[in-house]
């Protein structure tokens, strides 16, 4: 593959800077990918997810063998993940608190996500809350055991789920960090998620992809056609007012 000329790279960087200034304002600094990677591991969730991922990989290796159709598990999950991610984002993270008699139904994930929208630059709020992971990661083992017919396929499913979850955490962290995107793919993911946080919270729900499930579910408009939401930093603030 031919390397882009310095002029093309400079123009791409200028377009990115212009997008960044328009969407979120100028960044305070820029960090390298290596520094971002080291900072990523200062949070608890990457360690928690990685522990389960390593255990699943070791278990899968020790189990040996397996059927050819198990290869369809990671392929299917990767293909379906944009839609899964969209549904989780809309239905769980953007959950509007509801009152059921004297009880308010409002999960920790939804509360933390509202805080994340209030301050997208608060890095600890970028990660999946560790109290949620403390029960969610073991729960995947139970779900995988019930959903698969063999031990090897169960472990293959767990490796896939934990691997995708770690990839999600890394991508979401990187988008909110001070790392400047360079690849075309990451620039599109970066812009998509920044629009969700700084333009309008009712659109652009995918995090690890751009223009996939959002196109499917009708939440991928032309940004210039969408008004800046007054509640993009305070989810549900005006509902019921």
């Amino acid at each position: 593959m031919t390397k882009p000329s310095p002029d093309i790279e400079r123009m791409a960087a200028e377009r990115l800077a212009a997008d960044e200034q328009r969407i979120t304002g100028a960044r305070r600094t820029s960090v390298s990918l290596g520094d971002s990677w080291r900072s990523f591991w200062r949070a608890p969730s990457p360690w928690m997810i990685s522990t389960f991922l390593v255990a699943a990989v070791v278990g899968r290796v020790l189990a040996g063998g397996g059927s050819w159709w198990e290869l369809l598990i990671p392929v299917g999950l990767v293909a379906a993940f944009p839609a899964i991610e969209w549904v989780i984002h809309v239905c769980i993270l953007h959950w509007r608190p509801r009152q059921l008699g004297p009880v308010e139904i409002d999960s920790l994930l939804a509360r933390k996500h509202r805080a994340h929208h209030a301050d997208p630059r608060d890095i600890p709020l970028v990660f999946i809350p560790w109290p949620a992971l403390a029960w969610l990661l073991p729960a995947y083992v139970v779900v995988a055991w019930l959903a698969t017919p063999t031990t090897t396929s169960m472990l293959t499913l767990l490796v896939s789920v934990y691997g995708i979850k770690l990839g999600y955490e890394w991508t979401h962290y990187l988008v909110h960090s001070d790392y400047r995107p360079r690849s075309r793919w990451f620039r599109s993911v970066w812009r998509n998620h920044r629009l969700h946080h700084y333009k309008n919270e009712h659109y652009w729900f995918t995090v690890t992809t751009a223009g996939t499930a959002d196109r499917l579910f009708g939440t991928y408009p032309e940004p210039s056609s969408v008004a800046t939401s007054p509640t993009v930093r305070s989810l549900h603030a005006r509902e019921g007012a």
Side-chain angles (χ1 to χ4, degrees):
M1 182 179 292
T2 304
K3 184 178 179 180
S5 70
D7 286 342
I8 292 177
E9 290 183 338
R10 176 181 54 77
M11 291 172 63
E14 289 174 353
R15 285 196 298 270
L16 175 62
D19 268 353
E20 186 169 29
Q21 180 70 35
R22 183 173 62 254
I23 298 169
T24 67
R27 284 194 194 193
R28 294 169 295 190
T29 185
S30 179
V31 299
S32 69
L33 189 60
D35 286 339
S36 298
W37 179 248
R38 286 184 286 274
S39 296
F40 174 69
W41 290 100
R42 293 172 188 158
S45 70
W47 290 102
M48 295 174 71
I49 299 168
S50 295
T51 299
F52 278 80
L53 174 59
V54 170
V57 169
V58 170
R60 182 63 189 86
V61 170
L62 293 177
S67 303
W68 67 267
W69 58 262
E70 290 179 27
L71 295 174
L72 299 177
I73 295 175
V75 172
L77 277 179
V78 169
F81 187 67
I84 295 170
E85 185 178 65
W86 190 98
V87 171
I88 292 172
H89 199 162
V90 172
C91 299
I92 297 177
L93 302 184
H94 279 240
W95 170 268
R96 179 174 60 82
R98 291 169 171 82
Q99 203 73 26
L100 185 62
V103 179
E104 183 180 56
I105 303 174
D106 190 20
S107 71
L108 171 66
L109 289 171
R111 295 196 304 273
K112 288 293 187 180
H113 194 70
R114 291 198 296 274
H116 174 47
H117 266 268
D119 188 0
R121 292 193 62 86
D122 188 343
I123 293 300
L125 292 172
V126 168
F127 296 95
I128 300 171
W130 72 263
L133 286 176
W135 65 264
L136 188 59
L137 293 172
Y140 287 137
V141 178
V142 177
V143 172
W145 178 70
L146 293 172
T148 53
T150 64
T151 299
T152 56
S153 60
M154 176 190 74
L155 291 166
T156 298
L157 177 59
L158 287 173
V159 170
S160 304
V161 168
Y162 295 139
I164 288 172
K165 186 166 285 293
L166 186 63
Y168 168 89
E169 281 289 81
W170 166 240
T171 304
H172 191 214
Y173 164 76
L174 201 60
V175 167
H176 285 278
S177 74
D178 285 319
Y179 173 73
R180 294 182 180 274
R182 296 180 181 178
S183 71
R184 177 179 295 181
W185 168 79
F186 187 62
R187 283 199 298 269
S188 65
V189 168
W190 174 90
R191 190 170 189 272
N192 195 77
H193 197 58
R194 291 289 176 128
L195 285 167
H196 175 75
H197 273 285
Y198 294 94
K199 179 70 172 176
N200 196 303
E201 75 275 23
H202 302 295
Y203 303 98
W204 306 291
F205 287 103
T206 55
V207 177
T208 57
T209 60
T212 51
D214 279 311
R215 289 186 188 274
L216 178 65
F217 296 117
T219 52
Y220 193 71
E222 168 58 41
S224 61
S225 69
V226 176
T228 299
S229 170
T231 57
V232 72
R233 294 288 190 95
S234 53
L235 301 187
H236 319 304
R238 297 190 177 186
E239 293 185 10

